[in-house]
Amino acid sequence: MSKTIFITGASRGFGRLWAEAFLNRGDKVIATARNTQSLNDLKEKYGDAILTLQLDVNSREQSFEAVNKAKEHFGQIDVVINNAGYGLFGTIEETSEEDARQQIETNVFGLLWVTQAVLPIMRAQGHGHIIQVSSVLGITTLPNLGIYNASKFAVEGLSETLATEVKDFGINITLVEPNGFATEWAGASAKQSENIPAYDKVRAAFNEGMSDTDIFGIPEATTPAILKLVDAQTPPLRLFLGKVALPWAKQTYEQRINEWEQWNDVATAAHGK
């Protein structure tokens, strides 16, 4: 059975790939982007199966308008994929107020506005699936991406909470957590803070780690996983994409648990009774 799928950030990267995969198999797609001209070829190829809408997710008003237009056009929204977002490179000290606020506005509040807009529709339908594109950097962290890490940690907490709030309405929530992929995320889509020389060593180590091309997956290879996720009757709350994410997460949690246990006597005494 075909589905109606609303995707933000559909002009490039994962959003574009997944939108075309859904259309190719017969789903209906609402593809949103700040500039919809890049979606004209999909409109020409798939016709009435795709609705393209201009959307800046930073605007709560635009987000609600786009979701309502999608509902009016297709009659329902089965799946939302909150994919819009970008990377901000720079250490914590280097990050300007403007860049930090803009990163959180897009990666966190943009996702929140679209989520809030679609929830009444899905509650009325009695079903729905909201897929939040997070990152393995919502589980663990890398230096030189501090505000991006923070944005994805926020998405994780928001979405895990949401899952407990809407489960009785027939609405599923999934956090998709890719490791690095060879998209434009670190290229044309990214922003870079102004460098402070004191952090040159941190930056050099980061760049050296990013030079290992084996850690970056092939974006097109994610498509079968996303199709399977959308079709799942009982989708998971979390889904890694790529082979690097799970071993890295395991290592991170082992380190956390060991440290918590080492300090557990202090923690227990702080309870006071």
Side-chain angles (χ1 to χ4, degrees), residues 86-87 89 181-192 206 210 216:
Y86 66 94
F89 291 80
F181 278 83
T183 65
E184 295 182 6
W185 176 81
S189 298
K191 287 188 177 182
Q192 175 68 55
F206 173 81
M210 293 298 101
F216 293 99

Side-chain angles (χ1 to χ4, degrees), residues 42-264:
L42 294 183
K43 185 66 178 174
E44 291 175 5
K45 183 175 181 180
Y46 294 102
D48 292 340
I50 180 171
L51 173 66
T52 61
L53 295 175
Q54 185 175 4
L55 172 60
D56 178 356
V57 296
N58 290 3
S59 168
R60 190 173 189 269
E61 181 180 1
Q62 283 189 34
S63 297
F64 274 75
E65 287 177 354
V67 167
N68 289 331
K69 284 179 182 177
K71 169 63 165 61
E72 291 171 6
H73 187 83
F74 284 124
Q76 66 183 46
I77 301 174
D78 301 306
V79 179
V80 165
I81 301 180
N82 273 311
N83 172 68
Y86 66 94
L88 173 61
F89 291 80
T91 65
I92 300 295
E93 186 179 351
E94 292 170 332
T95 305
S96 70
E97 178 182 357
E98 180 182 357
D99 284 348
R101 290 185 182 278
Q102 190 65 27
Q103 177 82 126
I104 300 300
E105 284 286 344
T106 300
N107 289 10
V108 182
F109 284 108
L111 173 146
L112 174 59
W113 305 148
V114 173
T115 299
Q116 287 184 331
V118 79
L119 282 172
I121 294 170
M122 290 184 170
R123 283 193 291 104
Q125 293 172 169
H127 74 273
H129 188 183
I130 301 175
I131 297 172
Q132 317 282 42
V133 180
S134 179
S135 169
V136 66
L137 296 180
I139 299 293
T140 187
T141 65
L142 281 175
N144 205 47
L145 280 163
I147 306 301
Y148 179 82
N149 297 335
S151 75
K152 294 305 183 181
F153 268 67
V155 167
E156 294 277 329
L158 182 155
S159 302
E160 184 174 304
T161 303
L162 178 64
T164 65
E165 295 172 345
V166 301
K167 62 181 180 179
D168 291 340
F169 302 130
I171 302 172
N172 293 302
I173 309 297
T174 298
L175 285 151
V176 169
E177 301 156 334
N179 53 224
F181 278 83
T183 65
E184 295 182 6
W185 176 81
S189 298
K191 287 188 177 182
Q192 175 68 55
S193 297
E194 187 173 342
N195 293 346
I196 296 174
Y199 292 101
D200 285 349
K201 184 176 180 181
V202 173
R203 200 161 17 257
F206 173 81
N207 290 333
E208 183 179 355
M210 293 298 101
S211 67
D212 180 2
T213 57
D214 190 52
I215 68 174
F216 293 99
I218 299 169
E220 291 79 5
T222 65
T223 296
I226 294 301
L227 295 178
K228 186 173 183 179
L229 175 63
V230 165
D231 290 341
Q233 290 187 349
T234 55
L237 174 60
R238 287 184 167 84
L239 173 66
F240 284 133
L241 293 180
K243 69 180 184 181
V244 176
L246 182 57
W248 190 8
K250 283 182 174 181
Q251 181 183 42
T252 296
Y253 274 94
E254 286 172 1
Q255 292 170 347
R256 289 176 182 173
I257 290 169
N258 286 338
E259 189 166 61
W260 284 325
E261 288 179 341
Q262 288 173 16
W263 283 83
N264 190 50

